[in-house]
Amino acid sequence: MSNCIFCRIAEGSLPSKIIYDDEYTMAILDIAPERPGHTIVIPKKHCENLLDCDQDTLLHVMNAVRLVTRNLKTGGAKAIKVVQNTGAPLQEVFHLHFHVIPYND
């Protein structure tokens, strides 16, 4: 989807700081982080939200969320917040994504 920012990042036409990349998913640093290390996990396949995503894609995304969470904990985070918004007005970018936010205090 050419007008979707996360699709454009996944296809490489927009720059990003990639933390993790596989055949199905990508994890990037948030450009406006809530905390240092704030990471966004996306499927490379366009899904609008959690309810729009097929089971296989969601499985890959959740495995990537778990991997990023594990890496942040190993890197010293005391706690991790995982957030996913489905639907307006909470969802600002209509491409499924999970925020993985480390807390050190």
Side-chain angles (χ1 to χ4, degrees):
M1 205 173 227
S2 63
N3 61 341
C4 173
I5 190 168
F6 288 147
C7 285
R8 292 175 65 201
I9 289 170
E11 69 189 16
S13 64
L14 281 179
S16 63
K17 177 68 175 173
I18 299 170
I19 301 302
Y20 176 78
D21 188 15
D22 67 25
E23 182 179 352
Y24 304 99
T25 65
M26 182 178 279
I28 57 175
L29 287 180
D30 193 302
I31 61 169
E34 182 177 312
R35 318 270 290 175
H38 181 164
T39 303
I40 295 176
V41 178
I42 63 170
K44 290 184 177 179
K45 174 183 178 181
H46 184 82
C47 303
E48 184 172 306
N49 59 46
L50 188 64
L51 301 175
D52 181 54
C53 189
D54 64 88
Q55 187 172 344
D56 189 50
T57 300
L58 187 58
L59 177 64
H60 290 291
V61 171
M62 291 311 298
N63 282 332
V65 167
R66 182 176 58 184
L67 178 68
V68 169
T69 300
R70 188 175 287 144
N71 287 342
L72 288 169
K73 282 290 280 181
T74 301
K78 292 181 182 176
I80 308 290
K81 177 169 71 171
V82 176
V83 177
Q84 192 286 316
N85 297 312
T86 291
L90 295 176
Q91 186 177 1
E92 295 178 11
V93 177
F94 289 90
H95 182 116
L96 176 66
H97 60 285
F98 286 80
H99 295 265
V100 184
I101 307 165
Y103 284 78
N104 296 314
D105 48 351

